[in-house]
Amino acid sequence: VVKSLQRFILSLGFERVHLQGDKEHSIHDLIQKVALETPSAMPRATPQGSKGSNGRVERFHQSVEGMMRTLRLTIMDDYGVQIPTSQPLTAWMMRHAAWLRDRFQPGRRDGHTPYARHQLRDYYGKVVPFGETVMWRQPGPVLFKLKEPWGFGIWLGRAQENDAHIVGTRHGCLM
């Protein structure tokens, strides 16, 4: 998580970024770790008794949680399975819900998505429904003629750094 936040902060290109969170110990510790390892990140505590200080972040959480519920219910309905919150797929679902919001949900202020505000262009990459069964091809040349270079997996999203597809397999994740 620390490395992901660092990459995100550095990708913004700002000289200084304020990291603000509530007083919850896990959030506070995360902010401190990121600030220690990221020179441009400055920790800032939420003002005492200020309910509106984290308003945008709380709205973001509501949006991502709603998208997660939609993704989860869609998979459960399409495949006829239950997905407990302890399932590793749930973490990928949360990540993908935030990714979708950043690329496809325009803001009320200016009508642009967070991705468009940051990249100065809309997102036009191809997206597969989350949790869809997909075929993937082993990268590189086929060394053994009888070895099949194709396999099946579950589409988990796109990579933040290079927009590569992420596919979950029995043996781990591929990009």
Side-chain angles (χ1 to χ4, degrees):
V1 173
V2 172
K3 294 290 181 202
S4 292
L5 281 172
Q6 273 185 296
R7 280 194 303 268
F8 174 72
I9 290 167
L10 294 173
S11 78
L12 295 174
F14 294 120
E15 287 183 31
R16 189 157 305 235
V17 175
H18 291 279
L19 300 175
Q20 180 172 312
D22 56 25
K23 304 267 190 233
E24 188 178 321
H25 293 296
S26 60
I27 298 295
H28 180 266
D29 292 347
L30 176 63
I31 288 172
Q32 295 303 318
K33 286 179 186 173
V34 171
L36 276 173
E37 296 184 29
T38 313
S40 61
M42 303 292 296
R44 180 168 68 183
T46 302
Q48 189 73 25
S50 176
K51 295 184 182 214
S53 297
N54 291 334
R56 270 190 173 157
V57 173
E58 294 303 327
R59 177 65 191 111
F60 171 79
H61 288 172
Q62 289 173 354
S63 179
V64 170
E65 286 170 0
M67 178 59 70
M68 267 188 76
R69 282 190 296 274
T70 301
L71 294 170
R72 184 171 177 259
L73 289 171
T74 300
I75 292 171
M76 288 176 12
D77 186 53
D78 288 353
Y79 290 94
V81 297
Q82 290 297 312
I83 303 174
T85 55
S86 59
Q87 185 72 245
L89 189 63
T90 304
W92 286 102
M93 207 177 294
M94 182 187 315
R95 181 193 173 284
H96 187 61
W99 185 92
L100 286 172
R101 185 204 170 272
D102 283 350
R103 280 155 183 77
F104 299 110
Q105 186 175 346
R108 281 187 251 157
R109 285 181 302 150
D110 59 5
H112 295 292
T113 65
Y115 179 88
R117 268 186 238 115
H118 181 212
Q119 299 293 330
L120 303 177
R121 64 182 174 85
D122 289 332
Y123 182 77
Y124 292 107
K126 294 186 186 209
V127 180
V128 176
F130 181 82
E132 185 76 25
T133 301
V134 294
M135 284 189 77
W136 56 270
R137 187 178 190 287
Q138 189 69 39
V142 179
L143 300 177
F144 304 104
K145 291 187 181 199
L146 294 178
K147 185 170 182 340
E148 184 59 51
W150 294 90
F152 288 96
I154 297 173
W155 194 81
L156 300 173
R158 304 285 302 243
Q160 188 77 25
E161 305 81 33
N162 60 9
D163 208 37
H165 292 277
I166 302 171
V167 178
T169 71
R170 288 185 185 136
H171 309 292
C173 291
L174 304 168
M175 282 203 273

